[in-house]
Amino acid sequence: MTNKEENLPFKIGNATVLPGTTKTIYFPISIIPHYSTFKLTLRIIHGRRPGKRLFISAGIHGDELNGIEVIRRVLNSPLVKHIRGTLIAIPVVNVFGMLIQSRYLPDRRDLNRSFPGSETGSAAAQLAHTFLKEIVEHCTHGIDLHTGSNNRINLPQVRCDFESKEALDLAFAFGAPLVLKADLREGSLREASEKLGIPTLTFEGGEALRFNEFAIRAAVQGIFRVMGRLGMIPLEKCVSIRKHPVISHGSHWLRAPDTGFFHTTAFLGEKVLKGKVIGKIMSSLGLVSADVVPPLDGIIIGMNQSPIVYKGDALFNIAWVHDATQAEETIEALREEVEVNPSLDDPTTY
Ligand SMILES: [Zn+2]
């Protein structure tokens, strides 16, 4: 007679992970021109006791590196030593993109617009198909880690489908400064996994090709809170939420009114007021300038980092919130909490 509390071996690809063990698995994904096989690296922590199976993925956009560091810290934490259920970590999904520091695949496709993919499609479609079939379908829940793109930086935030009650519950449990309602985008991993009945959160924070400590810490803490909520680790070991995240039902990109050099003193998490100038676009000699003016009250959740802008470029992503003053205070309090929490220090000593 088997003990109900004993987990079964976890099978993935040709590998089997025994209960109470951790294994690194290399998944062949395609052949590159000189006939070598590219491999997807997975780290699987398979608990002694049965429970939820959570995937955490990063680098779907190859130049978004923050999530790689988030996963490294999660895997090195003592909190994941004795989990219930299974944690499947994929720190770099788009290996090709990471190597050339690009968001895309060699076929110039965006992997996060290529799901569910197919066996016979483009390189992006094949990778999406393999990732979904061989990894995601083995899971009960997922968290996909992203950053801003194209010189844009994002406030740490969780995006989810408010129609999915379980995803929304986990988004709140995550405890990032902001929870943003984001409809499922066609071709995204989140859309494909939600269609399979696997509630999935998208975390956004920081910028491409850079580490951002605030975003990394917020994501590490959030992943542990979600694992606590799913019963994978004891809830009392997670830092409890002192303030509920700010909720937003949508956001609006404020675009450059002219071409020139972008100046601003505004910052992520700051409240903005309709009609109040938050930046200027100036010509090189300063003879011409155009004001950047929000058309609504809200909170800055993403912003452009490049001084050179062209008319129509996205400058500020402004989230609609119920009370901008209160939202700004909440975000500041959550930022301080994350920044001073010693349990979120990098577990690696060097
Ligand atoms: Zn991304």
Side-chain angles (χ1 to χ4, degrees), residues 3 44 93 119 122 140 147 149 184 217 227 248 263 284 289 292-293 295 307 314 324 326 346:
N3 183 347
I44 298 175
V93 180
E119 263 178 301
S122 67
T140 57
T147 74
S149 64
L184 294 172
R217 284 173 163 243
M227 290 180 75
S248 173
H263 295 258
S284 57
S289 77
V292 179
V293 187
Q326 196 178 46
D346 184 351

Side-chain angles (χ1 to χ4, degrees), residues 60-61 64 103 112 145-149 204:
I60 279 207
H61 292 132
E64 298 182 2
R103 177 181 180 86
N112 213 26
L145 303 163
H146 288 259
T147 74
S149 64
E204 284 276 355

Side-chain angles (χ1 to χ4, degrees), residues 209-331:
L209 297 173
R210 299 284 181 273
F211 282 161
N212 178 285
E213 189 62 20
F214 175 30
I216 290 167
R217 284 173 163 243
V220 170
Q221 179 170 258
I223 288 169
F224 288 140
R225 282 179 177 152
V226 167
M227 290 180 75
R229 182 77 180 165
L230 294 174
M232 297 174 74
I233 58 175
L235 255 184
E236 62 273 16
K237 293 204 172 169
C238 309
V239 180
S240 58
I241 300 177
R242 293 199 200 126
K243 270 183 184 282
H244 286 292
V246 173
I247 306 166
S248 173
H249 284 259
S251 66
H252 169 88
W253 273 105
L254 175 53
R255 295 184 177 274
D258 207 345
T259 295
F261 296 92
F262 173 48
H263 295 258
T264 184
T265 55
F267 53 89
L268 290 176
E270 185 179 5
K271 80 171 174 193
V272 297
L273 301 173
K274 182 181 175 181
K276 189 164 180 238
V277 177
I278 56 170
K280 280 187 185 290
I281 311 292
M282 294 195 191
S283 64
S284 57
L285 297 178
L287 300 176
V288 183
S289 77
D291 292 340
V292 179
V293 187
L296 72 165
D297 292 0
I299 290 287
I300 300 172
I301 62 165
M303 57 191 284
N304 170 67
Q305 300 262 82
S306 170
I308 303 169
V309 295
Y310 293 89
K311 187 175 180 179
D313 280 358
L315 297 182
F316 293 101
N317 194 9
I318 299 172
W320 314 323
V321 290
H322 176 63
D323 180 335
T325 303
Q326 196 178 46
E328 186 184 62
E329 285 170 13
T330 300
I331 290 167

Side-chain angles (χ1 to χ4, degrees), residues 40 55-65 67-68 90-98 102-105 109-115 124 127-128 131-132 136 143-147 187-190 200:
L40 206 56
F55 77 83
I56 48 175
S57 56
I60 279 207
H61 292 132
D63 59 350
E64 298 182 2
L65 312 178
I68 301 170
I90 316 97
V92 187
V93 180
N94 177 1
V95 187
F96 304 94
M98 191 204 62
S102 163
R103 177 181 180 86
Y104 304 107
L105 282 153
R109 304 274 169 100
D110 183 332
L111 182 56
N112 213 26
R113 303 287 178 273
S114 302
F115 285 92
L127 177 53
F131 189 71
L132 202 62
V136 174
I143 300 173
D144 188 30
L145 303 163
H146 288 259
T147 74
S188 68
L189 168 61
R190 190 159 61 92
T200 301

